[in-house]
Amino acid sequence: LFPYTTLFRSYNRNIPVGVMIEVPSAVMIAESLAKRADFFSIGTNDLIQYSVAVDRANDRIAYLFDPFHPGVLKLIKLTVDAGHNAGIPVAVCGEMGGDPAASVVLIGLGIDELSMIPSYIPPIKRIIRSISIDTARKIAAETMAMETATQVKKHISDELDKLNIKSYLS
């Protein structure tokens, strides 16, 4: 008998199983995936790269890699809606989760959890504590109607200026 057989029998069969949403095709079948998952985690770095067709490692075109692209925001919203409709939480990992301006929109879109490197936690906490969920939802809803990343970024900046929390942004 294989010596590790007892080891494999003793694992917890109720470990939550999640799905990484990192490509637009996964977003398009998110409702189906949500039926089989305990949670979603949106890998924003890859989702952005594959949805806007920009290799972020290519110095000649990396400037086009933009988390505020309206298409990216709509993909995130579709994922959140699919997850929440199935009763599962949706998290974000990747650089977008640690961006103070993006955190407002992500929370407004319904993201349940943000993952980031430890040094980003204090500014994100300040932002989250300085804004109501209703305000974040309003800002996110308004960005969903915008046509360019430039418009989205200006809108977020203007809204945070009105709330006197611009100083938290890098």
Side-chain angles (χ1 to χ4, degrees), residues 100-163:
S103 70
V104 171
V105 175
L106 292 170
I107 291 167
L109 292 175
I111 291 295
D112 300 299
E113 183 178 320
L114 300 171
S115 175
M116 66 199 72
I117 62 173
S119 63
Y120 292 164
I121 294 172
I124 299 299
K125 280 177 77 171
R126 282 193 299 273
I127 287 278
I128 291 170
R129 289 177 174 169
S130 299
I131 192 168
S132 72
I133 188 66
D134 289 337
T135 300
R137 286 179 180 144
K138 174 186 167 288
I139 292 170
E142 291 165 350
T143 64
M144 297 303 286
M146 296 180 179
E147 297 179 355
T148 69
T150 302
Q151 291 172 337
V152 169
K153 288 183 268 195
K154 181 173 181 348
H155 179 68
I156 296 168
S157 179
D158 290 349
E159 290 299 308
L160 294 180
D161 271 346
K162 288 180 197 174
L163 298 168

Side-chain angles (χ1 to χ4, degrees), residues 1 33 56 107 167:
L1 200 57
L33 294 172
R56 63 187 183 268
I107 291 167
S167 61

Side-chain angles (χ1 to χ4, degrees), residues 65-91:
F65 181 89
D66 196 331
F68 296 99
H69 187 287
V72 171
L73 298 178
K74 288 177 182 170
L75 290 170
I76 291 169
K77 179 64 174 152
L78 288 170
T79 304
V80 168
D81 290 347
H84 289 174
N85 287 341
I88 64 171
V90 182

Side-chain angles (χ1 to χ4, degrees), residues 19-22 39-48 56 65 67 72 76 79 90-99 102 106 111-117 120:
V19 175
M20 287 295 299
I21 305 292
E22 295 185 311
F39 63 90
F40 280 162
S41 185
I42 302 172
T44 57
N45 294 348
D46 286 336
L47 184 63
I48 296 163
R56 63 187 183 268
F65 181 89
V72 171
I76 291 169
T79 304
V90 182
V92 160
C93 66
E95 293 176 32
M96 192 172 180
D99 180 301
L106 292 170
I111 291 295
D112 300 299
E113 183 178 320
L114 300 171
S115 175
M116 66 199 72
I117 62 173
Y120 292 164

Side-chain angles (χ1 to χ4, degrees), residues 12-73:
N12 181 351
R13 294 183 188 276
N14 296 317
I15 294 173
V17 176
V19 175
M20 287 295 299
I21 305 292
E22 295 185 311
V23 293
S25 59
V27 175
M28 296 296 99
I29 62 167
E31 289 179 5
S32 178
L33 294 172
K35 294 174 188 174
R36 295 161 175 83
D38 296 307
F39 63 90
F40 280 162
S41 185
I42 302 172
T44 57
N45 294 348
D46 286 336
L47 184 63
I48 296 163
Q49 176 170 314
Y50 295 123
S51 62
V52 298
V54 171
D55 178 1
R56 63 187 183 268
N58 182 333
D59 292 336
R60 293 184 298 180
I61 58 171
Y63 70 94
L64 296 169
F65 181 89
D66 196 331
F68 296 99
H69 187 287
V72 171
L73 298 178

